[in-house]
Amino acid sequence: MKNTQSYIQENKDRFLSELIELLKIPSVSADPAFSEDVKATAQFVKSSLENAGCDLVEVHATAGHPIVYGEKIIDPSLPTVLVYGHYDVQPADPIELWDSPPFEPVIKKTDIHPDGAIFARGSCDDKGQMFMHVKAFEAMAASNEIPCNVKFMIEGEEEVGSVNLGKFCEENKEKLACDVVLISDTSVISNDVPSVTVGLRGLSYVEVEVTGPNRDLHSGVYGGAVGNPVNIMCEMIASLKDENNHITIPGFYDNVEVVSTEERVEMNKAPFNLEKYKEDLEIDAIDGEKGYTVLEQTSIRPTLDVNGIWGGYIGEGAKTVLPSQAFAKISMRLVPNQTPDEITELFKSHFESIAPSSVKVKVTPHHGGDAAVTPTDTVEYQAASMAMEQTYGKKPIPQRSGGSIPIVSLFEKVLGTKTVLMGFGLDSDSIHSPNEHYGLFNYYKGIETIPYYFKYYSELKK
Ligand code: BES
Ligand code: MN
Ligand code: MN
């Protein structure tokens, strides 16, 4: 891969300026106000794939945002790698907490990123990581060093639950046929401790609405007698966990995969510094499920968290009001064998059952997804391990992550293909938060590592 690697070194500055252009387009999938920008981003990705050397590139319209498909078939008898990524991003809110505008990328040095990091929404999740694949492919194509067939599927709805991707996969099984799916949309432990992600949590996401009296009331005139839906919803939510931070929904843990003691011991060998963790977040203590370490709490254990809560008067100053309604958005991260449908149903019936008769409760499910675990005793994993060892000088550690990429289990179900999660971000890169950034070290390391994945995978697969 000598030529590929020198091509990368020679074109580094351009690779960065092209990413900056991509990051300037606000492809927020959740907000219809940005739908033209989302479309423009799909076109940007399309041209990038064409310029990089794909023989065929298509933009597929869906009921939501478009999917970009590209391919370069060298020889049908060779193995095929399908690269998946997403060009959509999370909303930038709260915008006032950004040090620079979210869609005007700037490069700044940080303690963790002494070579500089690019600050912009989507820089790490996932435009930066997705674009590494386009550039790695360009380098291989320009150097005549593409060792196998390459397909790209870059979608625009990951951050809103990939609602139209399942149908697209079902309808295009032939087109998408491949031997492995390769994704860079996760993190490494740190820039000197490489890791390959071998597990993702699933997700069940619900919205609850608690309704008391038919209108907002004077909190003096009616307060004391009429049930306050905000108070009541808070009590109900608080009861969903006990003093050990165990979730109290009956049946919630019934199908939770029991991880063996050996695997837990192994998992906890990964470097983790609790003091640094707390210092970074400026918290004095953590507050997780009793009996588990932080690494376990954030990977092999399910969670229940309020993501947003509102109701009553939230404007300036004080308004005395007994609100008619209260609302909350609640996410439950799931582990293998828990299914989103089943957990959503358990949540719904439990939440309805604990409501006092002074209020009415409505539970609305949002998108969800299955957890995923990927084995390490496969050539697919092996190739990632070898590629990272090549560029980091160290063997990566297999590690389960707490985040969710619901389509991973879908690829297995629909296409019958295993996924390799070779991500290059850092957990501290503030994805989904203000001041999201991506290290230049990480961007270039990804571009350098990906061609080795293709090389080793093709060799091992023979
Ligand atoms: N790339 C993330 C998932 C991720 C981040 C996995 C870091 C592992 C480490 C992805 O874009 C994401 O944000 N997924 C959502 C789920 C989706 C259904 C909205 C998530 O995890 O909240
Ligand atoms: Mn992502
Ligand atoms: Mn995301």
Side-chain angles (χ1 to χ4, degrees):
M1 304 244 101
K2 204 159 157 260
N3 301 330
T4 299
Q5 294 298 331
S6 53
Y7 182 93
I8 294 170
Q9 297 316 316
E10 284 154 21
N11 289 280
K12 272 187 155 174
D13 293 342
R14 180 172 55 81
F15 287 178
L16 181 58
S17 55
E18 289 174 1
L19 173 59
I20 289 174
E21 290 311 306
L22 172 61
L23 292 169
K24 285 182 185 168
I25 322 175
S27 51
V28 179
S29 50
D31 185 346
F34 293 94
S35 65
E36 285 307 309
D37 297 299
V38 174
K39 268 201 197 124
T41 311
Q43 289 303 325
F44 186 109
V45 173
K46 176 178 187 264
S47 330
S48 311
L49 286 171
E50 282 164 350
N51 296 338
C54 281
D55 294 332
L56 169 75
V57 186
E58 303 163 338
V59 175
H60 291 263
T62 72
H65 301 306
I67 296 165
V68 186
Y69 173 81
E71 65 176 33
K72 174 125 188 128
I73 307 298
I74 306 285
D75 172 353
S77 70
L78 288 172
T80 301
V81 177
L82 173 73
V83 173
Y84 164 85
H86 62 95
Y87 66 81
D88 65 320
V89 301
Q90 286 275 326
D93 316 52
I95 269 182
E96 64 280 10
L97 296 183
W98 284 76
D99 296 330
S100 55
F103 300 105
E104 293 172 29
V106 290
I107 292 164
K108 284 187 289 189
K109 293 188 163 86
T110 72
D111 289 348
I112 295 182
H113 294 294
D115 299 341
I118 177 160
F119 283 75
R121 172 56 88 230
S123 54
C124 176
D125 183 12
D126 180 42
K127 282 173 168 171
Q129 297 211 61
M130 173 274 287
F131 206 59
M132 297 180 321
H133 284 271
V134 182
K135 294 298 107 181
F137 172 73
E138 177 191 319
M140 289 190 290
S143 315
N144 258 315
E145 288 182 331
I146 306 177
C148 61
N149 303 313
V150 187
K151 295 179 177 177
F152 288 91
M153 179 169 61
I154 314 295
E155 71 153 320
E157 295 190 301
E158 197 278 341
E159 300 292 8
V160 288
S162 303
V163 274
N164 295 296
L165 193 73
K167 187 163 169 261
F168 180 77
C169 291
E170 292 278 2
E171 288 170 357
N172 293 279
K173 281 186 195 168
E174 198 89 338
K175 188 192 282 286
L176 301 172
C178 60
D179 297 282
V180 63
V181 178
L182 179 62
I183 305 181
S184 296
D185 194 21
T186 53
S187 354
V188 284
I189 293 174
S190 72
N191 282 351
D192 15 74
V193 186
S195 55
V196 176
T197 301
V198 292
L200 292 164
R201 286 194 285 197
L203 181 69
S204 159
Y205 199 107
V206 295
E207 187 159 334
V208 302
E209 184 186 296
V210 177
T211 306
N214 62 356
R215 56 187 190 275
D216 284 4
L217 303 171
H218 190 286
S219 64
V221 175
Y222 289 93
V226 176
N228 179 327
V230 178
N231 294 16
I232 290 169
M233 185 180 75
C234 289
E235 283 167 34
M236 289 168 68
I237 290 173
S239 79
L240 297 176
K241 285 193 192 179
D242 68 13
E243 67 281 10
N244 294 324
N245 278 321
H246 226 68
I247 295 156
T248 57
I249 300 171
F252 188 86
Y253 292 98
D254 282 3
N255 295 328
V256 165
E257 173 204 41
V258 181
V259 178
S260 71
T261 314
E262 297 86 76
E263 207 180 325
R264 287 178 66 185
V265 167
E266 202 50 45
M267 178 174 291
N268 283 295
K269 284 183 187 157
F272 176 77
N273 184 323
L274 182 58
E275 288 315 308
K276 282 221 179 89
Y277 189 80
K278 291 190 291 189
E279 200 182 295
D280 173 42
L281 303 175
E282 298 181 24
I283 52 175
D284 295 330
I286 52 146
D287 192 23
E289 186 186 3
K290 205 172 164 190
Y292 296 92
T293 65
V294 170
L295 286 175
E296 292 167 344
Q297 287 163 349
T298 56
S299 64
I300 57 163
R301 298 299 294 166
T303 66
L304 186 152
D305 278 294
V306 176
N307 292 236
I309 187 164
W310 69 103
Y313 183 67
I314 52 165
E316 283 292 312
K319 178 190 178 197
T320 50
V321 61
L322 194 162
S324 162
Q325 285 194 299
F327 305 87
K329 289 181 194 278
I330 296 174
S331 68
M332 289 163 280
R333 295 281 168 175
L334 313 179
V335 298
N337 304 335
Q338 286 183 303
T339 68
D341 286 351
E342 164 214 31
I343 293 296
T344 301
E345 196 42 52
L346 288 177
F347 177 94
K348 188 174 186 300
S349 51
H350 178 66
F351 204 71
E352 284 165 358
S353 78
I354 60 173
S357 42
S358 55
V359 295
K360 291 179 197 70
V361 164
K362 193 169 135 199
V363 177
T364 311
H366 282 280
H367 54 71
D370 288 322
V373 265
T374 59
T376 53
D377 58 351
T378 59
V379 294
E380 285 73 25
Y381 178 86
Q382 189 65 26
S385 180
M386 288 165 72
M388 280 190 139
E389 187 171 4
Q390 173 88 37
T391 54
Y392 285 84
K394 283 179 202 172
K395 229 191 177 74
I397 298 173
Q399 194 175 51
R400 290 206 204 181
S401 164
S404 309
I405 310 180
I407 40 78
V408 170
S409 77
L410 194 132
F411 288 144
E412 190 158 356
K413 265 186 253 165
V414 178
L415 304 176
T417 323
K418 283 276 172 211
T419 294
V420 169
L421 297 158
M422 192 170 71
F424 294 88
L426 297 182
D427 283 344
S428 55
D429 285 345
S430 299
I431 64 170
H432 295 205
S433 298
N435 302 313
E436 175 177 354
H437 55 282
Y438 191 42
L440 299 187
F441 172 90
N442 304 69
Y443 181 55
Y444 292 128
K445 193 60 102 183
I447 299 173
E448 289 157 21
T449 307
I450 290 162
Y452 286 112
Y453 183 87
F454 283 86
K455 173 178 166 12
Y456 292 132
Y457 180 64
S458 306
E459 287 172 7
L460 290 170
K461 190 73 183 166
K462 265 189 198 135

